[in-house]
């Protein structure tokens, strides 16, 4: 193959195998029949023979090589050694099922995942922990995020298995972040979240009209009342920590949104101080999602948000901008310093000046 170095590992789960490039994070899935071939390829990439390989197995490998993944002529160094200087963050989906049918859902309530097994099992959890211990042995802190593809609280056993597995791993401090749609937060679940110091985020898109038009049950019924009721329940519970009560929100923007500032104001009104707001991406056919046709609409939304935030600042009101000044919110990460997470007022002022000068509300963002 004329390649000296391979940066891949093999991980096997339930009869399926995954070739994982530890430098680019590229993954290729293959069946057991190709496992010996994959092992040969990794152990001796220089002498691996393409002619003796199955076309079904080698085709995606060749495509990956063309993109610079898996095999290289030169050693790229230990990317993990560089990553361990920071806190590694692992995001994954414990279940590919959901009790909602949100209008913009990229995962179609989990139906776009076609494997027979939709839940994360203990073997996968063990593989994950082994991967972390192997490649991030010197990292004292690890962050795990349960996100996307389904509703994590539909499969609480996975969450409990992971927490138990983490506690049995010595020498590391784990922080766990859970994003839920907020409809399944009964008292026992809330107390389990509190007991295990899980950082809780709840998806809520805005006021009653917005939430009930976008985030709905499969029968079309809106979710606003139950989500807000559960938020109030958590904040009113006794004998749970203030950390658990300090819920943060995830909100998704579509063209149904008329004003981002109103979303922030709404969340503040129900006791949420921190949030991330994302624009829903889609195709040209999805007219209310982000695409080439709808881009001017979303640019105008953010232009209006900047004007309102600057007006707040002039009046010495900072709660709205602080709510989104983090490294997760789409706009907030542009106005916060990555090092100390303090708001960079110069960047905010520059952004709105550029936007105003463009006339058509088009942002031109450069540099950091």
């Amino acid at each position: 193959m004329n390649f000296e170095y391979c940066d891949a590992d093999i991980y096997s789960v339930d009869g399926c195998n995954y070739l994982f490039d530890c430098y680019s994070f590229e993954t290729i899935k293959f069946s057991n029949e190709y496992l010996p071939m994959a092992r040969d390829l990794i152990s001796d990439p220089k002498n691996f023979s393409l002619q003796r390989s199955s076309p079904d197995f080698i085709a995606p490998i060749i495509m990956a090589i063309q993109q610079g993944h898996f095999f290289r002529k030169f050693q790229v160094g230990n990317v993990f050694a560089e990553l361990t200087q920071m806190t590694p963050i692992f995001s994954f989906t414990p279940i590919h099922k959901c009790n909602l049918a949100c209008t913009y859902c990229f995962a179609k309530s989990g139906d776009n995942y076609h494997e027979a097994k939709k839940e994360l099992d203990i073997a996968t959890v063990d593989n994950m922990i082994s991967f972390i211990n192997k490649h991030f042995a010197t990292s004292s802190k690890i962050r795990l995020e349960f996100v996307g593809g389904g509703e994590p609280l539909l499969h609480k056993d996975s969450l409990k298995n992971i927490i138990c597995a983490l506690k049995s791993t010595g020498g590391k401090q784990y922080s766990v972040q859970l994003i839920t749609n907020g409809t399944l937060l009964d008292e026992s679940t809330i107390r389990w979240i509190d007991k295990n110091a899980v950082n809780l985020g709840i998806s809520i898109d805005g006021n009653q009209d917005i939430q009930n038009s976008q985030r709905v049950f499969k029968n079309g019924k809106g979710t606003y009342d139950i989500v807000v009721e559960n938020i109030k329940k958590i904040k009113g519970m006794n004998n749970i920590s203030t950390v658990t009560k300090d819920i943060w929100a995830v909100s998704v923007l579509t063209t149904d949104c008329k004003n981002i500032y109103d979303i922030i104001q709404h969340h503040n009104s129900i006791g949420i101080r921190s949030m991330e707001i994302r624009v829903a991406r889609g195709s040209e056919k999805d007219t209310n999602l982000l695409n080439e046709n709808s881009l001017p609409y979303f640019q105008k939304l953010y232009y209006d948000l900047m004007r309102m935030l600057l007006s707040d600042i002039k009046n010495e009101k900072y709660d709205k901008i602080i709510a989104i000044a983090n490294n997760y919110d789409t706009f907030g990460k542009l106005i916060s310093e990555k090092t100390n997470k303090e708001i960079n007022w110069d960047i905010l002022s520059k952004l709105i000046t550029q936007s105003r000068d463009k006339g058509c509300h088009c942002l031109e963002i450069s540099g950091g």
Side-chain angles (χ1 to χ4, degrees):
M1 287 179 64
N2 296 322
F3 289 98
E4 296 281 348
Y5 299 101
C6 175
D7 299 295
D9 280 334
I10 296 173
Y11 295 90
S12 300
V13 181
D14 291 339
C16 290
N17 307 285
Y18 302 87
L19 196 62
F20 178 74
D21 186 330
C22 303
Y23 181 78
S24 67
F25 298 127
E26 179 79 7
T27 304
I28 289 181
K29 180 181 176 182
F30 59 94
S31 60
N32 277 339
E33 63 180 300
Y34 301 127
L35 189 55
M37 197 177 302
R39 288 172 176 161
D40 289 344
L41 185 115
I42 287 177
S43 62
D44 192 5
K46 184 177 181 181
N47 296 313
F48 184 81
S49 173
L50 295 178
Q51 287 76 18
R52 296 196 303 268
S53 305
S54 166
D56 291 337
F57 174 71
I58 206 64
I61 299 291
I62 292 175
M63 291 179 63
I65 290 173
Q66 291 174 340
Q67 296 170 9
H69 305 311
F70 291 107
F71 306 100
R72 299 172 179 85
K73 294 182 179 180
F74 305 100
Q75 194 167 15
V76 293
N78 187 353
V79 66
F80 292 102
E82 299 172 13
L83 289 175
T84 51
Q85 303 304 312
M86 304 176 286
T87 299
I89 301 175
F90 296 89
S91 299
F92 57 93
T93 302
I95 188 170
H96 290 275
K97 295 178 184 177
C98 190
N99 59 330
L100 301 188
C102 301
T103 57
Y104 48 73
C105 180
F106 69 91
K108 305 299 179 186
S109 302
D111 288 340
N112 68 339
Y113 182 80
H114 301 297
E115 299 298 321
K117 195 165 191 176
K118 291 180 176 285
E119 301 88 3
L120 194 65
D121 59 21
I122 191 63
T124 304
V125 173
D126 289 341
N127 283 339
M128 177 188 70
I129 301 299
S130 296
F131 175 86
I132 293 173
N133 290 336
K134 175 181 177 181
H135 293 293
F136 297 89
T138 61
S139 297
S140 60
K141 296 182 179 180
I142 302 290
R143 178 169 173 170
L144 300 179
E145 299 178 349
F146 300 104
V147 296
E151 168 51 43
L153 293 181
L154 283 175
H155 195 38
K156 297 175 188 176
D157 287 344
S158 276
L159 305 185
K160 294 178 180 179
N161 287 339
I162 293 170
I163 296 296
C164 289
L166 295 179
K167 287 182 176 179
S168 65
T169 303
K172 295 187 186 299
Q173 179 183 343
Y174 285 90
S175 61
V176 180
Q177 185 181 85
L178 170 66
I179 302 176
T180 171
N181 61 38
T183 63
L184 302 175
L185 289 165
D186 54 46
E187 184 171 339
S188 63
T189 300
I190 296 167
R191 295 201 179 279
W192 178 85
I193 288 171
D194 183 63
K195 180 181 178 181
N196 290 279
V198 175
N199 188 268
L200 181 62
I202 294 179
S203 297
I204 179 168
D205 289 346
N207 62 26
Q208 188 172 32
D209 289 341
I210 293 176
Q211 178 80 356
N212 285 345
S213 67
Q214 296 183 172
R215 300 188 63 81
V216 298
F217 290 103
K218 293 185 178 181
N219 62 3
K221 183 179 179 181
T223 59
Y224 181 84
D225 289 342
I226 188 171
V227 172
V228 172
E229 180 182 344
N230 285 337
I231 291 173
K232 292 179 179 178
K233 180 198 303 179
I234 293 171
K235 292 186 173 294
M237 286 178 66
N238 297 321
N239 302 321
I240 65 172
S241 68
T242 55
V243 175
T244 299
K245 292 183 179 183
D246 194 18
I247 302 162
W248 51 277
V250 178
S251 303
V252 177
L253 290 183
T254 69
T255 54
D256 290 335
C257 173
K258 307 304 178 187
N259 191 301
I260 301 174
Y261 188 91
D262 288 347
I263 294 176
I264 301 172
Q265 194 165 38
H266 169 269
H267 290 356
N268 284 165
S269 74
I270 59 175
I272 294 174
R273 296 186 299 125
S274 181
M275 62 204 72
E276 62 173 291
I277 301 173
R278 306 171 179 172
V279 178
R281 294 168 294 180
S283 66
E284 299 301 324
K285 295 179 181 179
D286 296 319
T287 55
N288 65 333
L289 307 186
L290 177 61
N291 51 53
E292 186 175 353
N293 294 330
S294 63
L295 179 59
Y297 184 88
F298 289 107
Q299 288 176 324
K300 176 64 164 56
L301 284 180
Y302 276 101
Y303 174 80
D304 291 341
L305 173 63
M306 286 190 288
R307 287 194 300 105
M308 292 178 183
L309 291 177
L310 281 179
S311 176
D312 276 356
I313 293 166
K314 291 177 182 178
N315 293 312
E316 298 185 353
K317 297 179 181 178
Y318 305 112
D319 56 331
K320 304 296 185 298
I321 194 168
I322 288 174
I324 61 169
N326 54 64
N327 285 327
Y328 287 89
D329 181 80
T330 297
F331 179 64
K333 67 179 68 175
L334 296 176
I335 57 172
S336 63
E337 292 285 354
K338 293 182 179 179
T339 52
N340 56 21
K341 297 185 179 179
E342 292 181 356
I343 298 165
N344 190 319
W345 306 112
D346 291 337
I347 291 178
L348 178 62
S349 180
K350 181 180 179 181
L351 285 173
I352 195 167
T353 299
Q354 289 179 343
S355 182
R356 183 179 62 246
D357 292 345
K358 292 293 180 180
C360 60
H361 310 304
C362 178
L363 295 180
E364 184 178 295
I365 301 169
S366 60

